[in-house]
Amino acid sequence: MKKKTSYFMTALVVALSLVLAACSGSSEETSGSSTDKGSGESEKPKFISILTGGTGGTYYPLGGAFANIISQETGIETNAETSGASAENMTTLKDGNAEVAFSQTDIAAYAAEGKLMFEGTKIDNVQAIGTLYPETIQIVTTEKSGIKSVEDLKGKKVSVGAPGSGTNPNAEQILEMYGMTFADIEKKDLSFDESTAGIQDGTIDAAFVTAGTPTGAVEGLSATEDIVIVPIEQDKIDALIKKYPYYIQDEVAKGTYGLEEAVPTVAVQAMLVVRDDLSEDVVYDITKAIFENLNQVTHAKAKLIKAENALNGVGIEVHPGAKKYFDEIGVKAAE
């Protein structure tokens, strides 16, 4: 009898132990997350950051406006943060220290491919939300230089942007379309202000400038010189876009810098990118909030941001949440 009682008590203890362990596991599973569960497996973060650029640029004020819209429309507290812009933003997203960021389309593509400034540090956890507005490649010179075409740059002193900048590969890729390399020019690595000062004092002949138009440094030069923006021929534009799909066709408008006619060229674009581990539902909500509330953005560049153009020249994979929104409104990338 004593033996039967002992067996019964042992079995009871084991059963109670299993019940307590199950309860403990259930509690841990339901109390460890700092996010709010939505439908299915979707998780809605309580807070996200948008990486922008310096306070004097365009990314920062736009990022502040986007942050306010996202906060209001989605309930996710969103903050715009200053940064070193495109390349730094991509690295910060890779490290998981922010969720959304501004970048140039070409810089995002270099990051995804592990090329140029990202050689050996390929970034594979970032996808696109969409493009915003063009940052135009301008080949700047003056009437007195005699330079009228890209071929005329051969043997000339030409600035291709500051070291490590996105302008440098822009210049290299455009020259490539003309069968040229940096060996065909006297390459100078100068900032935009240094470039226009060099053109003015005659120490350089021309400069590649990648920026929204009108660009302040070039406007300053136009106050004392007759500006020439060197055109890029249509067949070269087509070939460039085919090989490097983050470019789009663009022009420097008539009247800019005193130009008598519009000048054909290409542009990369400012874009929004996002970490790929944000859920489809969250990125859908963010994309919808921004593109359907642009009337709340007072910055002049907002007039150039259009949902129907947001998939043109993206250059990297689009996040499924953003794609869902653009599919819903019938937006596809240009052929």
Side-chain angles (χ1 to χ4, degrees):
M1 185 70 180
K2 285 182 180 180
K3 187 177 288 189
K4 288 184 179 180
T5 301
S6 175
Y7 286 151
F8 175 77
M9 291 302 295
T10 300
L12 182 60
V13 168
V14 170
L16 286 171
S17 297
L18 290 171
V19 170
L20 289 171
C23 290
S24 174
S26 175
S27 175
E28 287 178 10
E29 287 174 5
T30 58
S31 64
S33 174
S34 62
T35 58
D36 298 325
K37 288 278 186 180
S39 58
E41 294 300 314
S42 174
E43 290 187 353
K44 181 177 178 179
K46 294 179 180 178
F47 176 86
I48 61 173
S49 293
I50 301 178
L51 300 173
T52 61
T55 56
T58 301
Y59 290 174
Y60 183 71
L62 278 181
F66 291 169
N68 288 337
I69 289 169
I70 294 168
S71 296
Q72 293 166 10
E73 297 296 320
T74 70
I76 302 170
E77 184 181 348
T78 307
N79 184 51
E81 297 184 6
T82 59
S83 74
S86 299
E88 180 182 310
N89 290 353
M90 296 297 294
T91 300
T92 303
L93 291 187
K94 173 182 170 60
D95 294 340
N97 294 324
E99 291 74 31
V100 181
F102 284 76
S103 175
Q104 285 184 194
T105 48
D106 54 339
I107 300 299
Y110 303 148
E113 296 165 3
K115 293 182 178 178
L116 299 174
M117 67 281 285
F118 297 99
E119 188 170 354
T121 57
K122 182 176 180 179
I123 295 175
D124 58 5
N125 67 329
V126 177
Q127 295 176 325
I129 288 179
T131 58
L132 302 172
Y133 59 87
E135 299 196 21
T136 308
I137 290 90
Q138 306 161 72
I139 308 174
V140 181
T141 187
T142 61
E143 285 281 358
K144 66 185 181 185
S145 74
I147 297 170
K148 304 294 183 186
S149 67
V150 174
E151 291 94 337
D152 289 341
L153 296 175
K154 285 185 178 179
K156 298 296 196 304
K157 297 173 183 175
V158 182
S159 171
V160 297
S165 72
T167 304
N168 190 286
N170 296 154
E172 188 172 30
Q173 290 158 1
I174 289 169
L175 291 175
E176 177 191 346
M177 297 302 108
Y178 287 84
M180 298 166 62
T181 69
F182 284 157
D184 293 304
I185 62 174
E186 288 191 43
K187 182 173 76 75
K188 306 294 181 182
D189 300 296
L190 305 174
S191 70
F192 298 158
D193 287 334
E194 291 169 335
S195 295
T196 52
I199 291 172
Q200 188 169 25
D201 64 27
T203 56
I204 66 170
D205 301 299
F208 284 81
V209 173
T210 301
T213 58
T215 306
V218 184
E219 277 193 310
L221 180 63
S222 70
T224 59
E225 302 285 347
D226 293 325
I227 295 293
V228 170
I229 303 296
V230 178
I232 303 176
E233 285 78 10
Q234 188 62 53
D235 62 327
K236 308 301 188 203
I237 290 173
D238 294 342
L240 185 71
I241 293 172
K242 182 176 181 180
K243 183 166 184 180
Y244 303 107
Y246 40 78
Y247 285 101
I248 60 168
Q249 184 158 343
D250 198 12
E251 66 175 26
V252 181
K254 177 182 177 180
T256 308
Y257 316 128
L259 296 173
E260 294 182 358
E261 299 292 339
V263 178
T265 184
V266 293
V268 290
Q269 298 189 85
M271 71 187 302
L272 280 178
V273 295
V274 63
R275 282 209 331 254
D276 65 1
D277 59 350
L278 262 67
S279 75
E280 180 176 316
D281 288 346
V282 167
V283 177
Y284 170 87
D285 289 343
I286 289 171
T287 308
K288 180 181 177 71
I290 291 171
F291 284 96
E292 295 192 358
N293 291 278
L294 289 169
N295 61 322
Q296 297 182 33
V297 184
T298 58
H299 193 283
K301 287 294 184 187
K303 295 177 182 177
L304 301 177
I305 303 172
K306 301 181 186 301
E308 57 263 35
N309 298 329
L311 296 181
N312 295 342
V314 166
I316 64 171
E317 186 176 353
V318 178
H319 191 286
K323 185 177 185 303
K324 177 182 176 182
Y325 172 72
F326 292 121
D327 284 348
E328 191 176 89
I329 63 172
V331 171
K332 298 184 182 300
E335 295 292 334

